[in-house]
Amino acid sequence: MFSRDTPYEPGGGTSDRIKSSISASPSMAIIFLCIVSFFLEMVPGIGSLYIDTFQFNPSSILTRPWTLVTYIFLHAGLGHLFFNMIVLYFFGTALERKVGNKQLLGIFFTAGILSAIGYTFLSRPIFDIYPGPMVGASGAIYGVFAALTVLEPNLRVYVYFVPMRLKHALLLFAVFDFLMVNSTDMIAHTAHLSGLFVGLYMGYRIKRMHDKYIRTRFAGRW
């Protein structure tokens, strides 16, 4: 049965909608690239070389600077990929609706790059952790998460099926990462915390600029 309100799309309608979604949403484009990258990691013979080429290693930050970005698109297993992409889907699309595509990309990649830099230079002197190679979009996503929290602190979310406000969820994850920073769980908690603080800063900056614009726009109208 066809809906009169929905135009008929001959041949490849679903495919066209997927392409349109990816082109219109930077979050969806990043998710698509991460999934493609994960499949490349699985290719026998070249997967390990692909990972070695694009993962971030603090010891080669000056000789392989491109890895400050490329590590974001690598993931250490299906579970790692799935969890990160689910979080990015909900928080990333919400943030881009709030601040626009360019701002979302700016927050995502700034948080991702500075997460790697923070992981490199904060792990050993502050927490006495030797930082090894790192992959994953978690630091960048923490930036998105934190920026959205500044702009929409009371947004209702579910954390492992428990409803709570976004500001409480961010606090919960921040405390968890801080407490687990010296653990042996193979998670770069200092990168998470670095991305979180970057996101908070960028979120507050955007909010301040927006509030200033509102005050200027409506000044003298009362």
Side-chain angles (χ1 to χ4, degrees):
M1 185 175 291
F2 297 101
S3 169
R4 291 185 178 182
D5 297 326
T6 304
Y8 173 62
E9 298 181 14
T14 301
S15 175
D16 289 343
R17 284 194 295 271
I18 293 173
K19 291 178 182 178
S20 176
S21 176
I22 291 173
S23 63
S25 167
S27 298
M28 294 302 297
I30 292 168
I31 291 170
F32 175 76
L33 290 174
C34 286
I35 292 172
V36 171
S37 179
F38 183 73
F39 279 110
L40 290 175
E41 293 178 53
M42 300 294 104
V43 176
I46 69 167
S48 58
L49 177 61
Y50 177 75
I51 294 171
D52 290 341
T53 302
F54 296 113
Q55 70 179 354
F56 176 74
N57 192 327
S59 63
S60 59
I61 188 173
L62 296 179
T63 57
R64 305 201 315 166
W66 65 86
T67 60
L68 286 166
V69 173
T70 56
Y71 86 95
I72 294 171
F73 298 95
L74 304 176
H75 286 84
L78 185 60
H80 187 206
L81 173 72
F82 178 78
F83 182 77
N84 274 352
M85 296 305 100
I86 285 291
V87 175
L88 180 59
Y89 173 75
F90 286 108
F91 292 166
T93 54
L95 183 60
E96 67 193 36
R97 287 194 298 268
K98 187 75 176 176
V99 302
N101 292 355
K102 290 183 179 180
Q103 295 263 41
L104 180 279
L105 288 172
I107 293 168
F108 181 86
F109 284 107
T110 301
I113 292 169
L114 293 181
S115 290
I117 293 173
Y119 173 69
T120 301
F121 295 107
L122 298 179
S123 296
R124 196 165 182 87
I126 296 180
F127 299 104
D128 196 29
I129 302 169
Y130 182 79
M134 179 176 67
V135 298
S138 302
I141 293 171
Y142 259 83
V144 171
F145 183 5
L148 181 62
T149 301
V150 172
L151 300 173
E152 294 284 354
N154 294 316
L155 186 69
R156 301 285 290 183
V157 296
Y158 288 85
V159 178
Y160 297 107
F161 305 105
V162 178
M164 63 181 69
R165 298 186 187 277
L166 193 59
K167 59 186 178 183
H168 298 146
L170 183 69
L171 179 62
L172 178 66
F173 278 91
V175 169
F176 173 79
D177 274 303
F178 183 79
L179 293 177
M180 296 294 290
V181 75
N182 286 111
S183 69
T184 58
D185 59 3
M186 302 301 290
I187 296 175
H189 295 287
T190 51
H192 290 180
L193 292 171
S194 298
L196 185 150
F197 284 113
V198 171
L200 287 176
Y201 170 77
M202 297 188 76
Y204 278 116
R205 185 176 177 182
I206 292 170
K207 187 175 188 299
R208 200 161 53 240
M209 291 174 63
H210 178 264
D211 291 345
K212 182 179 179 181
Y213 170 77
I214 294 297
R215 286 195 302 269
T216 303
R217 183 179 176 87
F218 292 100
R221 294 193 178 185
W222 300 98

